[in-house]
Amino acid sequence: MASETQPTGARGGLFGAGGRFKGGTDPIMEKFNESLSFDKRMWDQDLRGSIAYAKAICKAGIITEAERDQLVEGLGKVREEWASGTFVEKPGDEDIHTANERRLTEIIGATGGKLHTGRSRNDQVATDTRLWTVEAERDLLKDMSTLLEAGAQVAQEHIGVLMAGYTHLQPAQPIRYSHWLCSHLTPIVRDAQRLKELIPRANMCPLGSGALAGNAFGVDREFLCQELGFDGVTPNSLDAVCDRDFVVEFLMWSTLLLTHLSQFAEDVIITNMLKGVDIDDAYATGSSLMPQKKNPDALELLRGKAGIALGRAVGMTATLKGLPRAYNKDLQEDKVPLFEAVDTVKDCLAIATGVICTMKPNPEMLMKALCPEMLATDLADYLVRKGVPFRETHHISGACVRLSEEQKVSIDTLTLKQLQEIDARFEEDVLAVWDYEVSVERKSSTGGTSKATVLKQTEDILAFAKKL
């Protein structure tokens, strides 16, 4: 009986009709299944992995040295096309791996078909993604170094500026503007520390794991590891092809970093609203209706990015939670959130750095936000230094605050006589308490808001940044 003629579709060089499949794929399935539109960002990592693999299978005796050289030379030509923007994508290029192999075979002929011996796209994509992620993480550390250096230098420049510190958005105690700025740089230091800790776990070589069971040709995985600059090899081939912990870790890390940048943005938005800082025009926009408006859009967008980042991390974790061993196509969904997260973090770091470098504190308005009631703790501390237990002095100072409120006067205008009527241990030198500069300089323990301790914080941040 004559066989039926089957429709042929673009399955690419790997899955053309005549092999496992009789006919072509539904065009909708082709679009649904392809990943070249986004994973071509890994073209360089894919080619580097293939060059290393060509050398490894030659070392294992699978191909000759002449074939190895032919493969390496051909892959170099493919790289030149990508680098110059002349690489031509064709129907059937399902992903970056098939596109590169197809083009390699066009350039060097049938020898190109030997490159994939013992290799699967499962270990290939895991290798590409790890290489790309580690490079991106190292690049982001440089951006974080720039932000931290710039922020610390700005803090040093404005070390003499005082401002109100808040808890619960209520006036609390006087602090230095530089201390406040360092309070936002310090979490970024922790974020950089965490990012550095992610790299060794991501920088493990899965190449040579095959589809799931390992490599059948005795490929030297330690050689591949060294060729590609990994720190070590993955210990289990089943796990190696489906492990995306390093992607989730980065997404979660990006969520925390962007949360910290969001908190910084919110603080600056509020301080800008109170005229305590002026945001540079480069990071503000106007209104289509109201001519007077200068909106802190850069900061609002920084604030908004954190929520989207959290969605990426939760979404990818949810994708992984029900997957059986080993590789499943669901894992293709790791690239878009990963790429978006890296792009977003890079942009946000650049914007935050620009905002910090260009915004100007307004010392007069920042001082205006200070109020004598913020020195109520200093009033309590005054009596502590005279031997009175703090819990008692807390109540005494509170009574002074209440008296000033009842009389509708500022607490610093209470007379010595009025203070002594509350507690006889107040003496004439108590009037020196009402000095904001003295108050901040008393906070001289490590991490405090005195000039010396804040300058130490900036020096530590600069030293850390220079090592990133």
Side-chain angles (χ1 to χ4, degrees):
M1 184 174 69
S3 61
E4 293 182 18
T5 301
Q6 296 290 338
T8 57
R11 285 191 180 274
L14 289 181
F15 305 119
R20 167 64 177 83
F21 298 95
K22 292 182 178 180
T25 53
D26 185 322
I28 297 176
M29 174 57 183
E30 285 187 36
K31 182 178 179 182
F32 191 65
N33 189 53
E34 73 84 25
S35 61
L36 181 63
S37 58
F38 51 86
D39 66 20
K40 61 185 175 183
R41 289 184 66 160
M42 303 189 299
W43 64 265
D44 184 63
Q45 291 77 17
D46 190 70
L47 291 169
R48 282 161 48 203
S50 290
I51 289 171
Y53 195 73
K55 295 176 181 178
I57 57 176
C58 175
K59 187 171 182 286
I62 307 304
I63 60 174
T64 67
E65 291 184 359
E67 289 172 325
R68 175 201 64 196
D69 294 344
Q70 191 180 9
L71 286 168
V72 171
E73 182 181 357
L75 289 164
K77 291 179 179 178
V78 178
R79 173 182 275 170
E80 290 173 4
E81 291 183 1
W82 278 111
S84 63
T86 59
F87 186 94
V88 178
E89 300 172 21
K90 293 185 178 180
D93 287 349
E94 180 182 321
D95 49 41
I96 188 58
H97 325 298
T98 53
N100 280 340
E101 185 176 333
R102 182 266 306 161
R103 182 58 183 142
L104 173 66
T105 305
E106 289 176 351
I107 293 172
I108 69 171
T111 303
K114 294 189 176 184
L115 177 61
H116 210 60
T117 304
R119 184 172 68 164
S120 166
R121 287 186 295 174
N122 296 355
D123 61 342
Q124 190 174 359
V125 70
T127 302
D128 293 358
T129 308
R130 284 177 179 269
L131 286 171
W132 191 94
T133 300
V134 168
E135 290 167 20
E137 289 171 339
R138 288 172 174 160
D139 185 52
L140 290 175
L141 283 172
K142 296 176 184 177
D143 294 337
M144 297 177 78
S145 174
T146 300
L147 185 153
L148 290 170
E149 284 196 52
Q153 289 167 0
V154 170
Q156 290 177 343
E157 179 183 352
H158 299 293
I159 190 66
V161 178
L162 302 186
M163 67 179 290
Y166 297 86
T167 62
H168 309 279
L169 274 180
Q170 300 299 308
Q173 289 182 304
I175 58 173
R176 293 191 181 277
Y177 175 82
S178 300
H179 191 213
W180 165 80
L181 183 54
C182 285
S183 80
H184 286 293
L185 298 178
T186 301
I188 307 301
V189 169
R190 294 196 298 271
D191 291 325
Q193 291 169 335
R194 274 186 284 266
L195 184 57
K196 288 177 69 177
E197 292 166 1
L198 299 189
I199 292 175
R201 288 191 291 276
N203 202 33
M204 300 292 286
C205 181
L207 193 55
S209 296
L212 74 161
N215 188 284
F217 295 94
V219 164
D220 186 343
R221 294 191 62 210
E222 283 70 23
F223 170 80
L224 287 168
C225 171
Q226 294 171 2
E227 282 289 299
L228 292 169
F230 284 108
D231 292 334
V233 297
T234 53
N236 181 285
S237 61
L238 276 167
D239 177 67
V241 298
C242 63
D243 172 21
R244 295 299 185 273
D245 290 3
F246 65 99
V247 175
V248 174
E249 280 194 307
F250 180 82
L251 295 177
M252 291 180 172
W253 172 86
S254 71
T255 300
L256 189 53
L257 169 72
L258 293 177
T259 296
H260 293 147
L261 292 181
S262 175
Q263 292 173 335
F264 163 72
E266 174 67 6
D267 253 13
V268 177
I269 288 169
I270 293 172
T271 308
N272 176 71
M273 179 184 69
L274 299 174
K275 307 302 181 184
V277 295
D278 293 324
I279 299 171
D280 193 85
D281 288 355
Y283 300 98
T285 65
S287 165
S288 61
L289 176 64
M290 298 168 282
Q292 82 281 8
K293 292 298 293 296
K294 180 179 175 180
N295 300 324
D297 283 13
L299 294 160
E300 291 170 0
L301 288 169
L302 280 179
R303 193 174 57 187
K305 298 293 184 182
I308 303 300
L310 176 60
R312 291 192 198 98
V314 173
M316 188 62 210
T317 306
T319 296
L320 294 177
K321 75 175 184 64
L323 296 187
R325 286 291 187 261
Y327 182 84
N328 294 272
K329 193 72 170 187
D330 314 50
L331 295 174
Q332 180 170 292
E333 297 302 308
D334 65 348
K335 309 297 181 305
V336 171
L338 173 63
F339 296 159
E340 287 181 348
V342 169
D343 291 344
T344 298
V345 168
K346 192 167 185 64
D347 289 346
C348 287
L349 288 171
I351 291 295
T353 302
V355 169
I356 290 171
C357 289
T358 59
M359 72 178 182
K360 303 297 182 185
N362 187 334
E364 291 183 4
M365 293 303 294
L366 289 172
M367 282 294 292
K368 189 176 180 180
L370 293 170
C371 59
E373 284 69 26
M374 299 174 73
L375 299 172
T377 303
D378 296 81
L379 185 63
D381 291 345
Y382 167 87
L383 289 175
V384 167
R385 291 186 175 91
K386 292 185 178 295
V388 184
F390 175 76
R391 190 52 60 200
E392 184 180 347
T393 69
H394 185 280
H395 291 296
I396 294 168
S397 180
C400 296
V401 172
R402 186 177 68 251
L403 176 62
S404 68
E405 289 178 345
E406 290 172 349
Q407 296 195 0
K408 301 187 184 306
V409 298
S410 177
I411 191 172
D412 63 328
T413 64
L414 294 178
T415 66
L416 178 60
K417 180 182 178 181
Q418 288 174 309
L419 293 174
Q420 289 177 334
E421 287 176 353
I422 293 173
D423 193 285
R425 288 168 289 191
F426 282 120
E427 299 178 18
E428 191 170 346
D429 60 348
V430 70
L431 300 180
V433 164
W434 312 116
D435 187 314
Y436 300 119
E437 185 69 30
V438 170
S439 175
V440 297
E441 281 304 290
R442 284 193 184 278
K443 313 302 190 300
S444 57
S445 296
T446 300
T449 197
S450 73
K451 182 179 291 186
T453 54
V454 173
L455 286 174
K456 178 64 165 59
Q457 292 167 48
T458 64
E459 291 164 2
D460 290 345
I461 291 169
L462 282 170
F464 175 83
K466 292 181 187 299
K467 293 179 182 178
L468 289 178

